[in-house]
């Protein structure tokens, strides 16, 4: 199976190791992975501001880059959520619809499409606090949102539990938003930072050693806050843990 | 209203957060507790998610057949002996109230909480005309004495500490400023309110639901204050928004089960009161009020906000609201539901509200009538951007970003521009001076020595050697 | 003028109706989760801040009332079983009930799901009795308990009464510091006598 690898702009520049881990992991699982070199951004930052005009070009470029693939996989819930649910600044032709339907966040792809049952190469002997991003939970159904009544499920947790040695710690507010929210983190800096600090304290209270997430954007924000507050906490993308590195 | 300047909700929220180490943590903790109680109450109802669907559909059905149900309600209310008035807007609503009071020569009214009356600015209108208006809901009364609007739909003074209330009551009703015991303070207000109930010429209420089938309306309170107001003074005036209609009495079985469970996690309010015509020896005046609701009904993206039953669950769950306090929104309605309702009253004044959200989506999932609040917030951003309400600096920033993301070459050069700490920034924002408060509470991210793309080119150059590991 | 406003509002609503008219949903009969109605009712009354008593008969109830409220000087009973010292039928104006210490009222039925009791204008005689009185004693036949709100609304008959109230325990507020306090504006206490 040939899949297109979508590496969001901030992963490309700041967390390349998350991208590397994703690519290596998908190749280990037997996929042919192609990273289209002309990709930039899915258009989410502008679209989240409501700026359809300026997100249109980025969206069109995204579709052009990925329309040939059977699946498009990105290690970033919020970007994938944008593509799946909100990539609507351009006319909805068959290519656009194909790309929107076939773009998967890494965890849901591993869990729902590949239905991976083990990661024999991975070993991680730490206490892990899991941060499923809001986009992944409420936009991509990666876990049952705590607001919804029903049988709980958590795809990320299920995958992480396949990793030898890994211990998931409970959280006081497991799916409380960390306050990143894209541009929100700078336009509403005080509230965003307060939410982030509360989130980091939740991990600390529950003795987590590593924070693992399918969304590095949330972790970028939380990491910045932890560092500023002098809290020693390590942050990893879920792909790094499932792939056994690079760390 | 249109002349007032834009509400800077982010700055107001920052002020609430940064005032001290007490208010925001207390606010967050108390509202989160309400959310947890709600979860437990909802979990105990096996059909909860099905109820949300049904409640949503009943509301949508009623709203899309609203003229029929309004006429049915009016007919039945008239048959029961109520007087029914219609108001297109706040001014007409307030005028009706004033006319009724003048006709009866009433100088003092006691009112229970009504978001519609808040919306209409009724209290200020009446006070200007010499009417003494007393809020009887404790939280509303606290806010009235402090000359503030309610900060929460069901917990109007939730942003205040007991110390704040003790100080306020000491100034206004002469309690001991050092006694912060809520029991003592509540008792003091009970005694102060009692005489006002007895002096009032009219009791005013809102309505949580209005039933077309019988011309009844329902008022839910925990204090019983609406009932005293309706039972003691000779005149009862009820302000009812036209979106409050439900077709049948049996619908209440669903909505009463959901309202208080969603709001506070209690099984119901202590009092669920049904008014069908005037009580024995009393008069009942009902003011059916539009005030922008019909216009909202015609907005394809936003009409379902009319389903709202004012439970406040979206506020309790909203991580942004919990840290901002309701007053930050500068509007009658705060929190997520406020973000989508307020711009329908004044787009310019409330144009920043849709940005005061991390779009986490919790509000949508918690809403008992399944309003897609989070999506509507995003849709309001589109309206604000299209109508150029976005500040110029932000528009320029996104314009520049849009151009960079449009052209891969530009993007690559922006990415590799300069060196050291600030190469490419989280979502490009740090390039823009107006948008760079990232660093106040956060360290800048460390930029990698090699981008993913650079790594990938090297990796593929090694002839797709799949076994190769990289560090 | 009045008619004009009415027609304006109705015309405005009519002109703005969404094109897609939504059907009224099918509402299934949800399975009943409460089986022992009386036990559940008693627990829920307690949760709501009320108290449950089981006097053997009217005489015992009268004695219970006296022992429960020894300092009460004004007792107003709307029930034939319990004697008070204020005649509700002589009340001309609700204000006359401002000094009532204890009111005794018979509820039509209770709700097991939440501990509510249903009181109408006909049960209260003067509505204010239910709210100006400092304490309430509610008589309820233990046979008159319905399972849940779905069943409750089949029994309210709103067309027959100008006022009906589901009362769930005494008056309450948590408006100061989110601390629960009983007796905000209405009754300070609510006792249910199963009789």
């Amino acid at each position: 199976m040939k899949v297109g690898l979508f590496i969001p702009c901030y992963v490309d520049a700041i967390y390349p190791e998350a991208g590397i881990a994703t690519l290596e992991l998908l190749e280990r699982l037997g996929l042919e992975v192609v990273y289209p070199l002309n990709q930039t951004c899915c258009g989410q930052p502008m679209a989240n501001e409501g700026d359809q005009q300026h997100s249109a070009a980025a969206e069109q470029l995204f579709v052009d880059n990925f329309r040939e693939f059977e699946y498009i996989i990105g290690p970033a819930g919020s970007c994938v959520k944008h593509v799946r649910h909100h990539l609507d600044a351009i006319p909805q032709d068959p290519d656009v619809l194909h790309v929107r339907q076939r773009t998967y966040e890494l965890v849901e792809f591993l869990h729902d499409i590949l239905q991976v049952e083990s990661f024999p190469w991975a070993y991680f002997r730490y206490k892990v606090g899991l941060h499923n991003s809001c986009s992944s939970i409420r936009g991509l159904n990666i876990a049952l949102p705590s607001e919804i009544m029903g049988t709980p499920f958590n795809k990320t947790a299920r995958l992480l539990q396949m990793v030898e040695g890994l211990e998931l710690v409970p959280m006081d507010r497991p799916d409380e938003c960390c306050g990143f929210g894209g541009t929100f983190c700078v336009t509403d800096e005080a509230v965003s930072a307060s939410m982030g600090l509360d989130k980091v304290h939740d991990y600390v209270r529950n003795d987590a050693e590593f924070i693992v997430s399918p969304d590095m954007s949330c972790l970028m924000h939380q990491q910045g806050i932890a560092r500023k507050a002098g809290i020693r906490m390590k942050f990893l993308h879920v792909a790094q843990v499932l792939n056994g590195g690079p760390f | 209203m249109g002349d007032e300047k834009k509400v800077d909700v982010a700055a107001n929220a920052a002020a609430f957060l940064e005032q001290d180490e007490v208010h925001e943590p207390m606010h967050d903790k108390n509202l989160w507790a309400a959310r947890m109680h709600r979860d437990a109450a909802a979990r105990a109802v096996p059909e909860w998610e099905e109820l949300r669907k049904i409640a949503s559909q009943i509301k949508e059905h009623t709203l899309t057949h609203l003229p029929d149900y309004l006429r049915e309600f009016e007919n039945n209310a008239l048959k029961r002996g109520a007087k029914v008035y219609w108001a297109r807007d706040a001014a007409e609503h307030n005028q009706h109230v004033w006319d009724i009071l003048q006709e009866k020569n009433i100088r003092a009214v006691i009112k229970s909480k009504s978001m519609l009356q808040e919306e209409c600015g009724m209290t200020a209108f009446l006070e200007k005309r010499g009417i003494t208006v007393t809020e009887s809901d404790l939280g509303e009364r606290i806010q009235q004495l402090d000359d503030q609007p309610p900060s929460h739909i069901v917990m109007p003074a939730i942003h205040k500490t007991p110390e704040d209330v003790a100080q306020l009551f000491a100034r206004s009703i002469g309690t001991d400023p050092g006694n912060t015991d809520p029991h003592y303070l509540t008792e003091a207000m009970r005694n102060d309110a009692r005489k006002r109930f007895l002096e009032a010429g009219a009791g005013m209420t809102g309505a949580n639901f209005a039933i077309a089938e019988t011309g009844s309306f329902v008022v839910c309170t925990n204090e019983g204050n609406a009932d005293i107001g309706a039972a003691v003074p000779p005149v009862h005036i009820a302000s009812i928004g036209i979106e409050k209609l439900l077709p049948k009495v049996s619908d209440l079985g669903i909505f009463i089960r959901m309202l208080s469970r969603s709001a506070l996690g209690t099984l119901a309010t202590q009092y669920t009161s049904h008014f069908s015509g005037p009580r024995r020896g009393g008069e009942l005046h009902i003011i059916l009020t539009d005030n922008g609701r019909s216009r909202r009904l015609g907005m394809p993206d936003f009409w379902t906000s009319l389903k709202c039953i004012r439970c406040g669950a979206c506020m309790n769950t909203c991580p942004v609201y919990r840290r901002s306090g309701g007053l930050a929104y500068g509007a009658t309605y705060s929190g997520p539901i406020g973000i989508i309702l307020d711009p329908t009253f004044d787009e310019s004044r409330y144009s920043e509200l849709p940005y005061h959200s991390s779009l986490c989506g919790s509000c949508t999932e918690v809403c008992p009538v399944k309003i897609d609040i989070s999506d509507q917030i995003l849709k309001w951003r589109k309206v604000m951007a299209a109508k150029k309400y976005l500040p110029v600096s932000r528009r320029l920033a996104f314009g520049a970003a849009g151009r960079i993301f449009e052209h891969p070459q530009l993007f690559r050069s922006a990415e590799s521009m300069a060196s050291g700490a600030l190469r490419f920034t989280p979502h490009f924002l740090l390039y823009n001076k107006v948008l760079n408060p990232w660093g106040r509470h956060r360290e800048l991210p460390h930029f990698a020595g090699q981008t993913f793309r650079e790594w990938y080119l090297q990796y593929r150059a090694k002839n797709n050697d799949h076994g190769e590991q990289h560090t | 003028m009045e008619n004009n406003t009415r027609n304006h509002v109705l015309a405005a609503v009519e002109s703005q109706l969404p094109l897609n008219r939504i059907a009224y949903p099918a509402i299934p009969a949800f399975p009943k989760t409460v089986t022992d109605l009386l036990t559940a009712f008693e627990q829920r009354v307690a949760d709501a801040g009320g108290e449950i008593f089981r006097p053997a008969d009217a005489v015992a109830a009268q004695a219970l009332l006296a022992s429960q409220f020894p300092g009460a000087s004004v007792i107003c009973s709307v029930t034939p079983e319990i004697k008070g010292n204020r005649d509700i039928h002589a009340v001309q104006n609700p204000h006359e009930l401002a000094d009532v210490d204890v009111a005794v009222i018979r509820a039509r039925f209770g709700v097991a799901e939440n501990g509510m009791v249903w009181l109408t204008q006909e049960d209260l005689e003067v509505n204010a009795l239910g709210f100006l009185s400092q304490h309430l004693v509610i008589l309820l036949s233990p046979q008159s308990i319905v399972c849940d709100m779905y069943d409750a609304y089949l029994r309210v008959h709103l067309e027959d009464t100008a006022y009906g109230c589901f009362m769930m325990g005494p008056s309450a507020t948590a408006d100061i510091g989110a601390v629960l306090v009983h007796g905000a504006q209405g009754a300070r206490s609510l006792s249910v006598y199963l009789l």
Side-chain angles (χ1 to χ4, degrees):
Chain A
M1 192 194 293
K2 187 167 137 183
V3 299
L5 179 60
F6 160 40
I7 297 297
C9 43
Y10 68 94
V11 172
D12 183 52
I14 304 170
Y15 299 106
E17 62 278 9
I20 295 166
T22 303
L23 183 140
E24 288 182 351
L25 180 60
L26 293 172
E27 288 189 343
R28 273 193 215 264
L29 293 165
L31 302 178
E32 186 188 339
V33 184
V34 176
Y35 170 78
L37 292 170
N38 268 345
Q39 60 183 291
T40 57
C41 163
C42 60
Q44 186 192 197
M46 291 81 82
N48 274 4
E49 282 287 292
D51 192 342
Q52 293 289 81
Q53 186 199 337
H54 289 118
S55 53
E59 292 184 0
Q60 188 57 55
L61 183 63
F62 187 88
V63 172
D64 291 345
N65 276 319
F66 287 107
R67 69 172 136 222
E68 65 178 285
F69 296 102
E70 191 181 347
Y71 288 101
I72 300 113
I73 300 153
S78 77
C79 304
V80 169
K81 180 199 168 196
H82 171 72
V83 172
R84 177 111 31 101
H85 295 305
H86 299 295
L87 199 134
D88 54 11
I90 51 176
Q92 301 293 294
D93 65 27
D95 280 348
V96 175
L97 295 176
H98 166 80
V99 165
R100 289 182 64 172
Q101 281 162 14
R102 288 303 181 122
T103 300
Y104 278 78
E105 184 278 324
L106 177 65
V107 168
E108 60 171 348
F109 184 73
L110 297 175
H111 188 279
D112 297 351
I113 305 298
L114 293 186
Q115 301 184 7
V116 178
E117 290 296 335
S118 68
F119 300 91
W121 48 77
Y123 176 71
F124 199 76
R125 213 184 63 193
Y126 297 100
K127 289 182 173 176
V128 166
L130 168 58
H131 177 73
N132 275 331
S133 66
C134 301
S135 308
S136 301
I137 298 169
R138 302 186 187 93
L140 301 175
N141 217 24
I142 209 171
L144 185 76
S146 57
E147 302 87 10
I148 300 288
M149 300 302 130
T151 311
F153 64 89
N154 187 332
K155 296 173 188 175
T156 325
R158 193 160 167 266
L159 295 182
L160 286 172
Q161 276 155 348
M162 296 172 195
V163 173
E164 195 190 335
L166 188 147
E167 182 192 339
L168 280 174
V169 300
M171 302 269 297
D172 297 348
R173 301 183 184 186
D175 59 7
E176 171 96 320
C177 177
C178 70
F180 173 62
T183 52
F184 175 80
C185 73
V186 284
T187 56
D188 237 311
E189 183 269 343
V191 170
S192 165
S194 165
M195 289 164 69
L197 190 60
D198 287 351
K199 194 82 198 173
V200 171
H201 280 145
D202 198 345
Y203 303 131
V204 172
R205 256 197 317 278
N206 288 290
D207 294 328
E209 297 165 277
F210 278 84
I211 311 310
V212 174
S213 175
D215 260 288
M216 280 322 282
S217 53
C218 301
L219 295 194
M220 174 169 67
H221 158 75
Q222 295 174 29
Q223 187 174 40
I225 282 173
R227 282 186 184 148
K228 189 89 175 186
I231 296 167
R232 295 170 66 88
M233 184 65 72
K234 287 162 280 194
F235 297 84
L236 290 177
H237 191 273
V238 66
Q240 294 169 269
V241 177
L242 298 180
N243 186 53
F247 297 116
Chain B
M1 223 155 75
D3 298 327
E4 291 176 58
K5 69 190 236 290
K6 215 171 260 200
V7 175
D8 189 347
V9 61
N12 296 342
F16 177 74
L17 255 169
E18 288 161 10
Q19 64 182 310
D20 56 32
E21 302 280 309
V22 177
H23 283 80
E24 182 273 327
M26 172 209 67
H27 191 253
D28 172 64
K29 178 180 131 256
N30 287 339
L31 292 171
W32 182 254
R35 161 67 210 281
M36 290 294 99
H37 290 142
R38 172 266 174 204
D39 285 6
R43 206 171 292 121
V45 177
E47 63 266 32
W48 184 260
E49 295 301 330
E50 207 177 343
L51 282 184
R52 289 178 68 221
K53 279 190 206 130
I54 290 171
S56 166
Q57 212 178 327
I58 292 175
K59 274 288 187 183
E60 290 185 4
H61 164 78
T62 314
L63 288 165
T64 56
H65 298 77
L66 195 53
D68 301 338
Y69 286 120
L70 283 168
R71 287 191 200 96
E72 187 184 351
F73 173 83
E74 181 195 34
N75 276 339
N76 287 320
L78 289 170
K79 264 190 234 160
R80 304 283 325 178
K83 283 204 72 177
V84 179
Y85 310 76
W86 297 74
R88 277 172 291 189
D89 54 23
E92 286 186 357
H93 168 272
N94 294 344
Q95 189 63 42
H96 282 313
V97 176
W98 173 232
D99 289 345
I100 297 163
L101 298 181
Q102 271 191 308
E103 196 199 314
K104 312 277 165 203
N105 201 21
I106 292 168
R107 308 303 301 166
V109 303
I110 187 99
K111 65 182 290 292
S112 70
K113 188 151 61 66
S114 156
M115 292 309 294
L116 175 57
Q117 289 162 6
E118 287 288 339
E119 203 182 294
C120 291
M122 185 197 75
T123 298
F125 171 91
L126 293 179
E127 283 174 342
K128 244 181 252 163
R129 284 156 185 79
I131 305 289
T132 304
V133 181
T134 305
E135 295 284 353
S136 58
D137 173 84
L138 177 59
E140 281 284 345
R141 181 69 177 144
I142 291 169
Q143 290 306 95
Q144 186 186 24
L145 290 173
D146 212 9
D147 201 20
Q148 286 178 341
S151 85
H152 186 287
I153 293 179
V154 298
M155 296 173 266
I158 192 69
H159 61 296
K160 284 187 165 70
T161 62
E163 288 72 21
D164 295 338
V165 177
Q167 293 296 324
L168 175 67
F169 281 12
R171 288 198 300 277
S172 50
I173 62 169
T175 54
D176 170 6
N179 193 338
T180 61
D181 178 5
H183 294 86
Y184 164 76
L185 295 167
T186 302
E187 177 69 17
M189 189 46 76
R190 176 189 175 94
N191 295 329
D192 184 77
R194 216 13 109 99
K195 57 181 185 286
R196 294 167 181 273
F197 278 114
L198 296 171
E199 285 159 6
M204 299 204 57
T205 68
N208 294 85
F209 306 101
I211 309 299
E213 184 182 32
T214 54
S216 314
F217 61 93
V218 180
V219 182
C220 301
T221 74
N222 282 311
E223 301 180 17
N225 55 315
D227 299 281
I228 311 185
V232 176
V235 175
H236 175 185
I237 305 172
S239 305
I240 304 181
I242 54 173
E243 86 285 18
K244 294 289 181 191
L245 267 287
L246 288 176
K248 300 188 282 196
V249 176
S250 58
D251 297 329
L252 289 170
I254 290 157
F255 284 91
I256 295 299
R257 289 194 97 202
M258 300 193 86
L259 177 63
S260 199
R261 281 181 171 90
S262 295
L264 299 168
T266 52
L267 301 180
T269 49
Q270 305 294 100
Y271 301 88
T272 305
S273 304
H274 306 66
F275 300 92
S276 316
R279 68 170 165 82
R280 213 177 278 151
E283 289 178 23
L284 176 61
H285 304 260
I286 294 171
I287 308 172
L288 290 170
T289 306
D290 183 335
N291 202 33
R293 284 157 177 77
S294 59
R295 205 173 60 82
R296 210 177 297 150
L297 193 60
M299 304 170 91
D301 285 339
F302 304 117
W303 72 273
T304 57
S305 62
L306 290 163
K307 291 190 287 184
C308 176
I309 58 171
R310 307 284 190 265
C311 69
C314 62
M315 309 165 94
N316 302 345
T317 202
C318 178
V320 176
Y321 172 86
R322 272 187 265 119
R323 289 166 179 87
S324 307
L327 300 182
Y329 296 73
T332 301
Y333 301 99
S334 53
I337 187 66
I339 292 177
I340 64 173
L341 290 181
D342 296 325
T344 67
F345 292 101
D346 188 335
E347 276 182 10
S348 169
R349 179 170 161 75
Y350 301 119
S351 56
E352 284 291 318
L353 260 48
Y355 297 92
H356 194 59
S357 165
S358 63
L359 298 178
C360 78
S362 184
C363 46
T364 298
E365 311 288 11
V366 87
C367 176
V369 289
K370 290 178 86 78
I371 301 170
D372 55 341
I373 304 177
S374 192
D375 284 349
Q376 290 192 30
I377 292 174
L378 186 56
K379 285 173 183 164
W380 272 115
R381 289 187 185 182
K382 290 179 184 170
V383 172
M384 298 313 173
K387 295 194 177 171
K388 309 265 189 270
Y389 289 122
L390 270 185
V392 174
S393 56
R394 249 154 92 175
R395 266 190 280 145
L396 291 177
F398 286 102
R403 279 188 297 281
I404 290 174
F405 291 138
E406 186 176 347
H407 304 292
Q409 313 86 303
L410 260 181
F411 177 69
R412 299 301 156 214
S413 63
E415 245 191 339
S416 58
M417 205 161 64
S419 58
L422 228 127
R423 275 191 15 166
F424 178 71
T425 52
H427 287 120
F428 64 82
L429 285 165
L430 301 185
Y431 276 138
N432 186 294
K433 284 206 171 63
V434 185
L435 295 183
N436 73 353
W438 171 278
R440 242 182 98 208
H441 292 99
R442 279 167 289 226
E443 292 285 322
L444 284 173
H446 301 169
F447 287 80
Q450 188 185 38
T451 64
F452 173 81
R453 189 174 187 273
E454 288 159 358
W455 172 87
Y456 180 80
L457 290 170
Q458 284 178 11
Y459 176 74
R460 283 291 177 248
K462 291 179 201 165
N463 281 332
N464 293 326
D465 180 353
H466 283 205
E468 192 77 8
Q469 290 299 303
H470 301 264
T471 49
Chain C
M1 155 72 190
E2 185 48 41
N3 226 0
N4 251 344
T5 314
R6 172 187 188 275
N7 294 338
H8 266 119
V9 171
L10 286 172
V13 173
E14 192 79 58
S15 73
Q16 301 291 333
L17 280 186
L19 294 177
N20 188 15
R21 305 292 155 91
I22 309 294
Y24 188 87
I27 300 176
F30 296 110
K32 301 293 181 194
T33 48
V34 184
T35 45
D36 183 348
L37 300 187
L38 184 58
T39 306
F41 176 78
E42 290 180 355
Q43 280 168 358
R44 296 293 91 79
V45 168
D47 293 346
E51 274 191 280
I52 292 274
F53 297 89
R54 299 160 158 276
D57 52 27
V59 176
Q62 188 80 49
L64 174 62
L65 183 79
S67 68
Q68 212 187 340
F69 303 101
S73 51
V74 181
I75 294 174
C76 182
S77 174
V78 206
T79 70
E81 295 93 334
I82 302 287
K83 307 247 171 313
N85 56 8
R86 172 70 51 85
D87 179 7
I88 191 74
H89 300 287
V91 171
Q92 302 286 318
N93 182 322
H95 288 72
E96 296 164 33
L97 296 168
D99 61 349
V100 173
D101 294 303
V102 185
V104 186
I105 307 149
R106 179 167 285 279
R108 304 247 158 154
F109 64 91
V111 186
E113 175 187 350
N114 48 30
M116 286 174 168
V117 291
W118 176 247
L119 304 171
T120 70
Q121 175 173 271
E122 288 64 36
D123 309 315
L124 293 156
E125 288 292 337
V126 180
N127 289 349
L129 182 68
F131 304 97
L132 287 179
S133 306
Q134 298 291 332
H135 302 275
L136 294 182
V137 170
I138 305 295
L139 307 191
L140 177 72
S141 159
Q143 278 80 49
S144 298
I145 295 171
V146 301
C147 181
D148 53 28
M149 293 310 286
Y150 310 125
D151 292 349
Y153 274 106
L154 299 176
R155 282 195 59 174
V156 294
H157 306 300
L158 295 188
E159 63 282 5
D160 292 340
T161 182
Y163 175 77
C165 179
F166 281 117
M167 222 181 259
M168 193 181 87
S171 168
T173 181
D175 277 343
I176 301 176
V179 175
L180 179 66
V181 179
H182 286 126
Q185 301 287 9
R188 295 172 186 278
S189 77
L190 182 144
S191 304
V192 177
Y193 289 10
L194 293 170
L195 186 68

